[in-house]
Amino acid sequence: MTNRRFAVQLNTQPCPVARSVDLIGDRWALLIVRDAFDGVRRFGDFQRGLGMARNILTDRLRKLVEAGIFTTQPASDGTAYQEYVLTKRGESLFPVVVALRQWGEQHLFAPNEPHSVLIDSQSGEAIAPMQPQAADGRILSAANTQVRKLQP
């Protein structure tokens, strides 16, 4: 099954989590997206920052472009390079990256072990934990939700 807007082959499972993981659940894909949120735009900068092989980076960037997560454009400094820029679809992955970051901060570091923290650039404060909320603002847990299959 091919998405009409993008050339990427989509998983045919009716589960949105499975389809998402097939596209962006790979370690390298998520780290490329993370670095793009931190301002990285050039192939060489992704490669240096991530320490990944050129062929793997080329493959992941190609897939992310085909999926509409990134677009390419001429380098902003007028050089012959191209830049990888997050699309609106790619920018909408920000909450996913933040949720993974916050889960890692909470569960994967020893007490007082140094790590990075995402801050609000306006206030300088660490951002609040992301939590699913009901339409009325109540915080929801898995026990308070259910999956409803939609029929065509």
Side-chain angles (χ1 to χ4, degrees):
M1 174 177 175
T2 301
N3 184 314
R4 290 187 181 122
R5 293 178 49 198
F6 304 101
V8 67
Q9 282 296 113
L10 293 178
N11 180 318
T12 58
Q13 292 185 27
C15 175
V17 174
R19 289 186 184 195
S20 298
V21 169
D22 275 357
L23 181 61
I24 58 154
D26 166 86
R27 167 189 167 82
W28 292 122
L30 278 171
L31 292 177
I32 291 166
V33 170
R34 177 209 60 193
D35 281 6
F37 283 122
D38 290 340
V40 177
R41 296 175 82 140
R42 291 193 177 176
F43 184 95
D45 294 333
F46 283 115
Q47 187 179 27
R48 274 187 294 285
L50 295 169
M52 62 194 296
R54 289 181 64 82
N55 63 323
I56 294 172
L57 179 57
T58 298
D59 178 65
R60 295 316 186 280
L61 284 169
R62 179 187 54 77
K63 287 178 181 175
L64 291 166
V65 168
E66 286 176 357
I69 305 296
F70 282 97
T71 189
T72 57
Q73 65 184 33
S76 55
D77 63 3
T79 60
Y81 295 102
Q82 70 175 6
E83 294 181 338
Y84 293 88
V85 180
L86 288 164
T87 62
K88 287 186 181 196
R89 180 181 259 204
E91 288 174 358
S92 70
L93 286 167
F94 186 66
V96 174
V97 174
V98 171
L100 284 170
R101 165 185 282 284
Q102 289 181 339
W103 184 87
E105 289 170 354
Q106 183 178 5
H107 297 289
L108 302 178
F109 289 85
N112 300 317
E113 182 182 359
H115 62 278
S116 62
V117 177
L118 188 63
I119 61 165
D120 176 343
S121 56
Q122 185 176 348
S123 71
E125 299 292 326
I127 66 168
M130 292 186 60
Q131 299 179 311
Q133 294 183 343
D136 64 8
R138 287 177 295 115
I139 302 299
L140 298 172
S141 68
N144 303 112
T145 65
Q146 62 180 332
V147 174
R148 179 173 295 147
K149 306 283 185 195
L150 301 177
Q151 301 302 320

